[in-house]
Amino acid sequence: MTQEQFTIYNSRLEEARNTSDSQWLNAAFTRAREVIDGGGRVHIMQRFSDASEELVEIIDNLKTLEFYKQKYMP
């Protein structure tokens, strides 16, 4: 069985924090928790202006997810 992967873009996290979009943040972090609880991973990605992407972090535990949640939730 393949582990599930969920991707969140760093720029979208920043945008949601700056606009106080708690609904999107709650949905993203809830989905991330479901994926981790199911044995999957959450990838935090950075997208650049030339359309390239870079992996910033792989989250595979709830402690790291909580760090991101506290960082970005209003």
Side-chain angles (χ1 to χ4, degrees), residues 5-67:
Q5 177 181 308
F6 179 60
T7 301
I8 302 175
Y9 287 93
N10 200 30
S11 59
R12 184 62 181 109
L13 284 170
E14 293 286 341
E15 178 186 335
R17 180 179 61 186
N18 292 339
T19 61
S20 299
D21 188 353
S22 59
Q23 185 177 6
W24 185 88
L25 288 166
N26 279 326
F29 286 121
T30 297
R31 179 69 183 124
R33 182 182 189 93
E34 291 169 354
V35 169
I36 292 169
D37 284 343
R41 297 177 177 180
V42 176
H43 289 188
I44 304 295
M45 301 290 292
Q46 180 68 47
R47 188 179 294 151
F48 298 100
S49 59
D50 65 355
S52 64
E53 296 180 352
E54 179 179 281
L55 179 64
V56 175
E57 183 151 10
I58 296 174
I59 302 173
D60 61 359
N61 63 71
L62 297 177
K63 183 178 178 179
T64 306
L65 180 64
E66 187 61 30
F67 167 79

